[in-house]
Amino acid sequence: MILKDVPKLKHTDSDNFFLLAGPCAIESEEMALRIAERILTITDKLEIPFIFKGSFKKANRSRIDSFTGIGDEKALKILKKVSETFDVPTVTDIHEVSDAAMAAEYVDVLQIPAFLVRQTDLVVAAAQTGKVVNLKKGQFMSPESMKHAVQKVKDSGSNKAWITDRGTMFGYQDMIVDFRGIPTMREYAPTILDVTHSLQQPNQSAGVTGGRPDMIETIARAGIVNHVDGLFIETHFDPANAKSDGANMLHLDNLEKLLTNLVAIRKTVQSL
């Protein structure tokens, strides 16, 4: 079972896709607990294995005045509180080698950002913690090249690697998802589709990334039809005022309907 290495993960026998979901960044304890509780209620109802996602810091920003976090240890402690309060696993992204051991003390899955997935020292440091390593496919990389990132994890003594596709650059200011890559990457490791980041519109002149949240269900449905193992969805109760990536996040009020539809599609696909 591909989820056996994640502690506290529920509904692993439901034959559903698994879900990494939460806000882009941890803004406060209240917001993190509020979002986690709502997602957990929905995923318990639908029997979806759920991992709470939140970045403890945002290192890759367009402008120096962009929000980067509330403090590393403070945000990591909030992630740990979410895990303890709701008995769910958590995932956060890391950006430097020194982040790996620090974050591993608080979360269950370490995520390597797309722009950094070729950084060997970072991937190795994450793998050596013994945590599951979620490798985001670089926007500039082919699906086939992700086998080398997975191999770095294996060569570091771990078989706990996942791949997440978050779209491929299409020109300067748009992303596309090439669904031909899903079966390819599934040959190397369990594969997740990052629905919301795939709809980003980066490199805007204002220095704030845009997005197409109206297309979230379209991309998510296509992922389920093409047998992704998991979905990654950033969600917030007030995307317009979120401190990071609000332009492409799903409003929390729309999550239950989306997931209900996706579970139904999954059941249909599995019956074929």
Side-chain angles (χ1 to χ4, degrees):
M1 183 171 59
I2 63 173
L3 301 175
K4 62 180 174 59
D5 296 314
V6 183
K8 299 184 179 182
L9 196 59
K10 302 174 181 63
H11 310 301
T12 55
D13 295 326
S14 65
D15 201 30
N16 263 327
F17 54 88
F18 63 99
L19 178 69
L20 284 69
C24 177
I26 299 298
E27 300 171 11
S28 70
E29 180 178 305
E30 185 275 334
M31 71 84 72
L33 292 171
R34 178 177 171 183
I35 293 172
E37 184 175 26
R38 182 77 176 276
I39 301 173
L40 180 62
T41 298
I42 296 167
T43 53
D44 276 348
K45 178 180 177 180
L46 297 173
E47 297 187 337
I48 298 172
F50 163 53
I51 301 167
F52 179 77
K53 182 269 169 186
S55 296
F56 76 94
K57 69 177 177 181
K58 304 299 295 183
N60 176 28
R61 303 286 85 187
S62 296
R63 301 185 336 199
I64 198 169
D65 61 347
S66 297
F67 175 79
T68 58
I70 59 174
D72 294 357
E73 189 174 10
K74 183 177 181 180
L76 286 168
K77 285 182 176 179
I78 290 172
L79 283 164
K80 186 173 183 179
K81 183 165 185 177
V82 168
S83 179
E84 292 174 344
T85 300
F86 300 113
D87 196 34
V88 296
T90 55
V91 54
T92 198
D93 36 355
I94 61 173
H95 305 86
E96 303 176 36
V97 170
S98 59
D99 289 345
M102 176 178 65
E105 294 294 319
Y106 297 90
V107 302
D108 305 291
V109 179
L110 298 178
Q111 183 167 282
I112 307 298
F115 282 129
L116 299 177
V117 75
R118 285 176 56 92
Q119 298 295 105
T120 299
D121 289 350
L122 183 62
V123 173
V124 170
Q128 289 179 341
T129 66
K131 301 288 184 175
V132 174
V133 181
N134 185 28
L135 303 159
K136 284 204 154 183
K137 184 184 82 65
Q139 301 93 323
F140 47 87
M141 294 172 65
S142 69
E144 290 79 7
S145 65
M146 286 303 294
K147 66 183 176 182
H148 303 298
V150 172
Q151 191 61 47
K152 288 178 184 178
V153 175
K154 292 180 178 179
D155 289 344
S156 302
S158 173
N159 285 312
K160 301 176 183 178
W162 297 344
I163 299 172
T164 293
D165 190 351
R166 50 97 69 237
T168 300
M169 288 298 297
F170 186 71
Y172 289 118
Q173 294 178 322
D174 207 359
M175 309 287 295
I176 60 170
V177 178
D178 183 356
F179 288 97
R180 298 173 299 176
I182 299 297
T184 298
M185 290 185 286
R186 290 186 77 218
E187 294 179 6
Y188 314 137
T191 298
I192 300 158
L193 178 60
D194 181 344
V195 178
T196 45
H197 285 105
S198 295
L199 293 166
Q200 281 186 332
Q201 293 178 318
N203 302 320
Q204 300 295 313
S205 59
V208 179
T209 297
R212 290 289 308 276
D214 56 301
M215 297 295 292
I216 286 173
E217 183 150 3
T218 298
I219 296 295
R221 283 173 176 254
I224 295 300
V225 168
N226 286 283
H227 305 288
V228 293
D229 298 293
L231 293 176
F232 180 108
I233 298 174
E234 287 188 341
T235 183
H236 196 289
F237 50 79
D238 188 10
N241 291 301
K243 295 183 182 296
S244 181
D245 281 2
N248 55 270
M249 274 198 278
L250 178 72
H251 197 292
L252 192 57
D253 288 346
N254 298 327
L255 183 63
E256 183 168 1
K257 183 177 184 296
L258 172 66
L259 293 178
T260 299
N261 291 342
L262 296 177
V263 167
I265 293 170
R266 166 86 169 191
K267 289 179 180 177
T268 299
V269 171
Q270 296 290 78
S271 69
L272 296 177

